[in-house]
Structure formats: structure tokens, C-alpha cells
């Protein structure tokens, strides 16, 4: 008990001086928590961003066939992916041929985020969207009627994407299927699987859908994997760097704390205190400091990670944004370890010197 | 006198000085490394994102609406709508030509193979040519689509030759026809040697690619091109970029023109090729923009967090230094030094420590940033030369600022009291 009274009194008396060491360690703990939180979550966040690209797997007809069975969509969804069927045929508008695309607007929504649309993004029964090139060619606008042969429809929106949609009339899947004379089949099925599972999903689809050509879009899958890896590596290296440097700083700080009190150590030894007891004294002080910093740093670090997460990736689920609660143990552990080792090293240096030398003031 | 003051101070407590300088150096190293990486990472990631493919498509302005499914046209193509091949190098003469990483012209046709209609595309695979300023440049499919895989070999078309009958079918088509690299296929009544088979995962797999000049000769369309795919490094769109250029003021227009937004690069390509219209491929451009914006933002915030802690470190180290030397300050006051003199001497010494620490730290930081760049991106990062001096200056300012308040406090105290109490 006397031991703890000693320690606590020492901490109380040297509050101001200890504040500096505390803040150095707290800053290190804050940074560690924030950086680790972000690092552990960054992959997930970035893969979410890549979803905007749309499909990364295409299911196309194989062999002599021209169509893909609609069952492919259900199969892909069973694998946990987003999938939609598309059917293409040629229709007639104003006496001219025009490409008609049938789209399952509900399912295709997440795959076509990049469309720039004036008007509605979805067309219901008896409605359609037209691509910007088609609109310009036939001088059509939203709200007008498109006199598509066998399937006249009300134009709900104009789509501009820089891709094939610009030259198409987009009908709901059922209407286009009828025009094309198909039943329970699609021209192509587009699939979006999560980046880290894409090869597994592709393999599963190949097995489940013989008679179709399941293609992995190399450009998307590889670029995603590449960029995610590079960002993670950069963050990892930067984190290691910053932490290495702050550890050095903290070590210096804690060593200084002990070295300043060499006279005190000299006196303690002179009145007969055992080396181990002296060490225990200083270590306890460091322990208190270390715990206090770890807790403060953890709290502040989570706050920093949360703020950064909110700023950069808004709209992601609530508090899960960039915050990793599980970081506490490793951060606290490392923080305390650094504090203790530094203290012990410094103390060890001192008590090796002869008491008289210390008291004399060297 | 200042020199004597400083050298005496160093002589008396060399280890303490070294520790102070080391602490400043560490802060400066963190700041430099973070800033060095942060400033260039946007560019590096932008280049990686070019693996997604073309983000601009250039087509003849007069071209009528295409009626095309899977590369097969359902309406005869008008021969009057084309982009002249000899004008293509002008793409590299726009204001942002350095941002254009590649362009690939193509001419589309159809042939019958294995009893069905197959889209045929005449392209440059990897053509060497001279830019408008005479500098050598490379263009073609491979400069825009770096992620495409080949079973076999690419057609080597660095030099133009309209007699080289070589072809590269997509892998789905090759499977249907049962061809392998080295086989011969019949196109337009001529035998074409299959050099390699393209695997992309996209609709290219149902096509067969041949040399542009060969297809031009076979179709009697010399020097004509249907479309050009362009890949460019862009700056993410923001509110300003979405404004209509026709309605911008002169100053706004200049700013828009001089920023590599996808829309301004498209506009400049149209200026260089007046017979064409350039459109962004939003599937690629949109996502690049969003991703880049987020990554840059993230790096900035992380850098700020690190800078804050570096600044705090320097500040606290300097504050401690002053605290420890209060007895010295008291002695100086007692022997008649004016407050101003004490402030000046200490600030100068602290500034010197800051400068030395800053120099060492920024040099180490630059090395560390270089190391991160090499490890992750396998290239050197482009770090602005001003970074080092700026960090040194910041270190000096942080040091002097950190020492200022404790100095003022110490000077306000009665020297007799400070001397009597000994060490703080």
C-alpha cells in the first residue's frame, strides 16, 4: 500500500512534467488508432466505390446459340451477386430501323449508376427511355410519345452514357422480349459480384450454367484488385512509418522522465531500496501514464477516424464508417509496451551507475 | 554574442540539445514523408485507373445514328462519315496532350465466318508515328487497353503495311471457329494468319481484329476511320466542371479549359478534329472521378492528422526546453539582461535547433517518401522541390512559436523566486 501511495504522490507532484509525456504518448495512441481503423476498413470502402462501374461478369450465349436462359439471373443472385438480363432486337421507329433494348429496370439499377439521365431512370409498362443519339436523330423529348412499331411508348427520360445505350430505345424487359419473339431468354446477362469474390463467383456460374459463356471482365476486375492493393500498401507503409517515428519520440520522452530523477534514484539506493523496488516504482508510474494515454488516444483516435470516414465516405452505414472498435487491445498493448520498455531501459542505465556518482551530480 | 551564447549552450548540455534536434527532426520527417506521398498519390492512382479502358469516344460529327447490336450493323454504313486517319496525330496537339495516355482508331466491317456474320475491326495495335511536333509517339489498342490478355502474340504493326494479312480473333470467336494461334482464317476471300487470341471478357471476344490499313484497302476506304477511343488522365468533375461552357464568362472559360476535366479534354479534341464529336464514356469517367476524389480526400485528411501531431511534437519539445532552463533565464535577468534580449537569444537558439532538425528531418522524410513510392508503385514519386524548404520553414516557425509562450511566462516571474526554487 505504501508503494502505491508513493507512486500516486509522485504523479500528483509532477503533474505538469508528466503532462508532456502523457500528451506525447496520447498523440501516438490517437494516430495509431485512427490509422489502424482507417486501414482495416479502406478495402471495403474502396470496393464499394468500384461498384459504380457496373458489371464485372458477362454471361453470353455459347456455341451456336443466340440467347442465355433467364435462369442465369437467379443463379447469379444465388451466388450473392447483382444480376440483370438484357435483350436486344431491331425495331422500327418513324420508318427507320432502331435498336431496341429490353432492360429489367429494377435489377439493372445498381449496374447502370453511371447513366446520365434527364428525366426518370425507370420506365414502366407502356413507357420507355431513349438514348441521346436517338433523341437527337428523331427529335424526341421526354414526355412525348415514341411511335415504336408494335410497341409505342411514352418517353420518360433521355439517357446519355457515351456507350451503346445512347443509340437505343430502352423498354421494360417484357415488352422487348415480346418484340424479339423470345420466351424466357435474354441476349446477355450482366453480373456484378463483389471484387474479392469475383473469381469464385465466376467459377460457380461456369459450373451451374453449362452451355453459356461466362466471361470475367479483365479490365474491371484487375484494375480494382490493383488499385485496392496499392492504396492498402501505401496506407500500411505510411502508418508503419508514422508509428515508428512516434515510438522513437515517446521512448525519448519516457527515458527523459526517468533520467531527470537520477538524483532521486541515487537517494533511494543510498537509503537501501532494492533495485527491483525502484524499477517497480517507475514502471508503475509509466503504467498509469500509459493506461491514461491509451484510453485517451483510443477515444480521440476513433473520433478522428469517424470524422475522416464521414467526410470521405458519406452514406456508408452509421458508425461503422472507418471505425474499428477492435483496435483498442493492440493499440493499448503497444502503447503500454513502449512506455514500459523505455522506462525500464532508462532505469536500468541509472542504477548501474554508482550511487555516489549520481548524488555528486554527474 | 549570439554565437557565443549558442555554442556555450551546446557545450553545456550536448545530449539535451541532440534530443531536441532529434525530436524536431522526427516531426519534420513525418511531415515530409506524408506530404510527399500525399501530393503524388492522386497521379499514381489515376494512371492505374487507366487499366479500365478508354474514357472518351470520338466519332464523325456527321455520322447518322448507328443501328448496331454486338458489333453487327443492321443498316448500311454511309461512306461519307469518317474521320481522316492523317488528322489523328492532332489529338496529341491539344492543350492537355500530356494527359492523353493513348488513342486507338478503328474501322468497322462485317464478314461471314463459319456460316455466321462476324464483326471485323481494323485497328492500330501499337503503331509508332510522329506527333505534330515531330516527337515520336505510340498509339493503338494496346495504349488504351492495358488489361487485355493474349494467347499467342500481338500483331506487330509498329510499321505500316497494308499487305500484312494478320488477324487476332477474340477468344469466344476463336472457340466457335476452333482456331488456334498459327492457324489461317479466310476473311474477304483472303487468308489471314492468326497471330494471337484476345481475351478481354467483354464484347471484343466475339470480334476479329485486323490491321487498319489492310481493312481500309479491302473496303476501298483509304485513310478513313470510323471511331477513335481515347484514354486520358482527368481531374474529377466538380460543380464548376458541370457548368455549360457556352455560358461561362471569359475568366471561367479559361479556368475550365486549363483544367483537365473530361469535358474540357473532349472539347479540345473537338477543336483539334472539327469533323468529329468527342463524348465521355461515363461508365469509366464517372467512376474514375469518384474514386480519385475519395482517395485524394482521404490522403489529405490523414496527412493533416499526421501534420498536427508533428506540429504538436515540435511545440511540446520546445516548450519543455524552455521550462528546463528557467534558472538560466533567471540568472540572465538578474545580471541585467533586458527581457527583449533574453527573448531574442532564446528564440534564435530555438530557431536554429528547429532549422537543423527540420533539415535533417525533411531529408529523411524525402527518402522515406521515395521508399514508399518505390515499394507500392514501382516508380519514383514526383515530389515538388519546394517541399523540403517549406517543411524546414514550418519547423522553425513551430519551434519559435512553441518556445514563445513559456519564455514569456518565465520572464514574467521574479528571478529571485526562480533561483531560490532551483530546478522547476
Amino acid at each position: 500500500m505504501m508503494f502505491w501511495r508513493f507512486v500516486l504522490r509522485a504523479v500528483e507532484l509532477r503533474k505538469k512534467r508528466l503532462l508532456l509525456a502523457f500528451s506525447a504518448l496520447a498523440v501516438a495512441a490517437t494516430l495509431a488508432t485512427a490509422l489502424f481503423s482507417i486501414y482495416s476498413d479502406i478495402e471495403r470502402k474502396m470496393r464499394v466505390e468500384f461498384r459504380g462501374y457496373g458489371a464485372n461478369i458477362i454471361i453470353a450465349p455459347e456455341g451456336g446459340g443466340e440467347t442465355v436462359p433467364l435462369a442465369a439471373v437467379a443463379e447469379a443472385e444465388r451466388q450473392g451477386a447483382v444480376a440483370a438480363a438484357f435483350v436486344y432486337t431491331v425495331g422500327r421507329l418513324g420508318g427507320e430501323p432502331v435498336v431496341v433494348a429490353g432492360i429489367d429496370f429494377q435489377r439493372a439499377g445498381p449496374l447502370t449508376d453511371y447513366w446520365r439521365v434527364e428525366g426518370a431512370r425507370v420506365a414502366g409498362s407502356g413507357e420507355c427511355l431513349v438514348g441521346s443519339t436517338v433523341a437527337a436523330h428523331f427529335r424526341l423529348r421526354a414526355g412525348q410519345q415514341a411511335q415504336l412499331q408494335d410497341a409505342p411508348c411514352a418517353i420518360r427520360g433521355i439517357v446519355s452514357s457515351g456507350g451503346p445505350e445512347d443509340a437505343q430505345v430502352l423498354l421494360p424487359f417484357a415488352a422487348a422480349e415480346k418484340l424479339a419473339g423470345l420466351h424466357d431468354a435474354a441476349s446477355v446477362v450482366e453480373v456484378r459480384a463483389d471484387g474479392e469474390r469475383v473469381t469464385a463467383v465466376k467459377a460457380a456460374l461456369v459450373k451451374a450454367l453449362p452451355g453459356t459463356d461466362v466471361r470475367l471482365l479483365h479490365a474491371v476486375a484487375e484494375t480494382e484488385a490493383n488499385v485496392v492493393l496499392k492504396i492498402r500498401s501505401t496506407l500500411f507503409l505510411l502508418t508503419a512509418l508514422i508509428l515508428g517515428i512516434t515510438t522513437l519520440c515517446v521512448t525519448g520522452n519516457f527515458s527523459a522522465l526517468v533520467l531527470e530523477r537520477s538524483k532521486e534514484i541515487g537517494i533511494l539506493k543510498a537509503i537501501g531500496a532494492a533495485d527491483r523496488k525502484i524499477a517497480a516504482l517507475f514502471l508503475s508510474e509509466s503504467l498509469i501514464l500509459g493506461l491514461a494515454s491509451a484510453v485517451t488516444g483510443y477515444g480521440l483516435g476513433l473520433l478522428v477516424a469517424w470524422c475522416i470516414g464521414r467526410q470521405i465516405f458519406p452514406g456508408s452505414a452509421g458508425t461503422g464508417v472507418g471505425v474499428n472498435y477492435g483496435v483498442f487491445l493492440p493499440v493499448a498493448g503497444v502503447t503500454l509496451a513502449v512506455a514500459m520498455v523505455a522506462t525500464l531501459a532508462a532505469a536500468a542505465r541509472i542504477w548501474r551507475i554508482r550511487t555516489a556518482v549520481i548524488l555528486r551530480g554527474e | 554574442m549570439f554565437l557565443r551564447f549558442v555554442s556555450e549552450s551546446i557545450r553545456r548540455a550536448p545530449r539535451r540539445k541532440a534530443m531536441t534536434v532529434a525530436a524536431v527532426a522526427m516531426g519534420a520527417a513525418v511531415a515530409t514523408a506524408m506530404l510527399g506521398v500525399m501530393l503524388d498519390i492522386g497521379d499514381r492512382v489515376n494512371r492505374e485507373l487507366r487499366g479500365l479502358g478508354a474514357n472518351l469516344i470520338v466519332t464523325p460529327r456527321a455520322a447518322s445514328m448507328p443501328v448496331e447490336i454486338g458489333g453487327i450493323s443492321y443498316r448500311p454504313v454511309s461512306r461519307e462519315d469518317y474521320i481522316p486517319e492523317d488528322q489523328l496525330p492532332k489529338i496529341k496537339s491539344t492543350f492537355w496532350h500530356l494527359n492523353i495516355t493513348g488513342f486507338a482508331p478503328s474501322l468497322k466491317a462485317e464478314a461471314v465466318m463459319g456460316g455466321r456474320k462476324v464483326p471485323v475491326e481494323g485497328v492500330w495495335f501499337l503503331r509508332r508515328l510522329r506527333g505534330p511536333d515531330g516527337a515520336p509517339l505510340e498509339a493503338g489498342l494496346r495504349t488504351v487497353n492495358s488489361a487485355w490478355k493474349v494467347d499467342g502474340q500481338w500483331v506487330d504493326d509498329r510499321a505500316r503495311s497494308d499487305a500484312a494479312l494478320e488477324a487476332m480473333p477474340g477468344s469466344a470467336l476463336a472457340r466457335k471457329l476452333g482456331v488456334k494461334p498459327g492457324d489461317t482464317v479466310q476473311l474477304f476471300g483472303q487468308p489471314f494468319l492468326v497471330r494471337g487470341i484476345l481475351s478481354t471478357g467483354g464484347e471484343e471476344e466475339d470480334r476479329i481484329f485486323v490491321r487498319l490499313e489492310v481493312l481500309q484497302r479491302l473496303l476501298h476506304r483509304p485513310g478513313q476511320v470510323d471511331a477513335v477511343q481515347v484514354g486520358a488522365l482527368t481531374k474529377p468533375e466538380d460543380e464548376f466542371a458541370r457548368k455549360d461552357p457556352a455560358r461561362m464568362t471569359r475568366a471561367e472559360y479559361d479556368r475550365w479549359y486549363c483544367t483537365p476535366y473530361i469535358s474540357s479534354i473532349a472539347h479540345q479534341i473537338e477543336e483539334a478534329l472539327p469533323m468529329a464529336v468527342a463524348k465521355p464514356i461515363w461508365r469509366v469517367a464517372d467512376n474514375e472521378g469518384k474514386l480519385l476524389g475519395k482517395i485524394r480526400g482521404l490522403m489529405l485528411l490523414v496527412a493533416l492528422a499526421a501534420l498536427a501531431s508533428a506540429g504538436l511534437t515540435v511545440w511540446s519539445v520546445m516548450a519543455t526546453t524552455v521550462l528546463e532552463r528557467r534558472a538560466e533565464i533567471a540568472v540572465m535577468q538578474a545580471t541585467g539582461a533586458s527581457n527583449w534580449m533574453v527573448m531574442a537569444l532564446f528564440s534564435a537558439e530555438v530557431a536554429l535547433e528547429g532549422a537543423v532538425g527540420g533539415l535533417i528531418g525533411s531529408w529523411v522524410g524525402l527518402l522515406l517518401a521515395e521508399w514508399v513510392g518505390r515499394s507500392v508503385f514501382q516508380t519514383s514519386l514526383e515530389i515538388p522541390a519546394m517541399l523540403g524548404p517549406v517543411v524546414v520553414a514550418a519547423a522553425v516557425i513551430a519551434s519559435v512559436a512553441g518556445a514563445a509562450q513559456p519564455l514569456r511566462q518565465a520572464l514574467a516571474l521574479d528571478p529571485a523566486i526562480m533561483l531560490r526554487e532551483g530546478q522547476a
Side-chain angles (χ1 to χ4, degrees), chain A residues 322-342:
Chain A
V323 165
N324 186 347
Y325 296 106
V327 171
F328 180 69
L329 277 178
V331 169
V334 172
T335 309
L336 285 174
V338 170
M340 305 290 228
V341 167

Side-chain angles (χ1 to χ4, degrees), chain A residues 254-283:
Chain A
F254 272 71
S255 305
L257 271 185
V258 174
L259 290 172
E260 287 167 357
R261 295 160 75 186
S262 42
K263 277 224 174 68
E264 217 174 295
I265 299 180
I267 294 177
L268 283 172
K269 282 186 75 161
I271 59 175
D275 277 349
R276 256 209 303 239
K277 263 276 155 44
I278 300 176
L281 217 57
F282 282 93
L283 280 177

Side-chain angles (χ1 to χ4, degrees), chain B residues 56 90-91 93-97 99-100 253-274 278:
Chain B
L56 283 162
K90 288 205 179 137
I91 289 177
S93 69
T94 59
F95 185 82
W96 283 111
H97 64 278
N99 279 39
I100 292 178
Y253 180 81
D254 280 344
R255 200 180 116 198
W256 173 78
Y257 195 94
C258 297
T259 311
Y261 295 124
I262 189 110
S263 50
S264 72
I265 294 183
H267 178 85
Q268 286 159 17
I269 292 177
E270 288 181 357
E271 279 182 339
L273 299 172

Side-chain angles (χ1 to χ4, degrees), chain B residues 149-316:
Chain B
K149 311 239 171 302
V150 171
D151 173 17
Q153 288 178 349
W154 283 96
V155 164
D156 180 358
D157 70 336
R158 274 171 300 180
R160 194 180 188 284
S161 160
D162 62 5
L165 302 182
E166 303 166 301
M168 294 187 73
S171 58
L173 180 63
R175 238 189 352 261
K176 285 186 182 122
L177 299 174
V179 298
K180 292 183 323 292
D183 289 350
T184 311
V185 290
Q186 290 288 330
L187 270 178
F188 306 109
Q190 314 245 4
F192 278 74
L193 175 63
V194 172
R195 285 251 178 245
I197 297 178
L198 275 176
S199 166
T200 72
E203 50 178 21
E204 301 83 14
E205 293 202 352
D206 300 307
R207 296 180 195 173
I208 185 160
F209 294 85
V210 299
R211 282 178 179 241
L212 178 65
E213 56 272 20
V214 168
L215 193 60
Q216 285 170 338
R217 177 172 62 83
L218 291 172
L219 296 178
H220 307 293
R221 295 183 63 181
Q224 295 189 4
V225 158
D226 270 343
V228 186
Q229 289 189 329
V230 179
L233 297 170
T234 64
K235 183 168 146 74
E237 296 239 308
D238 49 29
E239 275 314 308
F240 181 69
R242 279 187 258 272
K243 290 173 97 166
D244 184 359
R247 281 199 286 249
M248 287 184 186
T249 67
R250 180 83 226 164
E252 283 178 335
Y253 180 81
D254 280 344
R255 200 180 116 198
W256 173 78
Y257 195 94
C258 297
T259 311
Y261 295 124
I262 189 110
S263 50
S264 72
I265 294 183
H267 178 85
Q268 286 159 17
I269 292 177
E270 288 181 357
E271 279 182 339
L273 299 172
M275 80 298 292
V277 68
K279 284 198 299 193
I281 299 176
W282 288 118
R283 181 176 212 162
V284 177
D286 223 19
N287 290 293
E288 272 182 339
K290 285 193 191 136
L291 199 77
L292 267 178
K294 297 221 145 95
I295 289 174
R296 283 204 168 112
L298 179 71
M299 284 292 136
L300 178 68
L301 288 179
V302 170
L304 282 177
L307 282 176
S309 61
L312 269 172
T313 309
V314 172
W315 185 289
S316 63

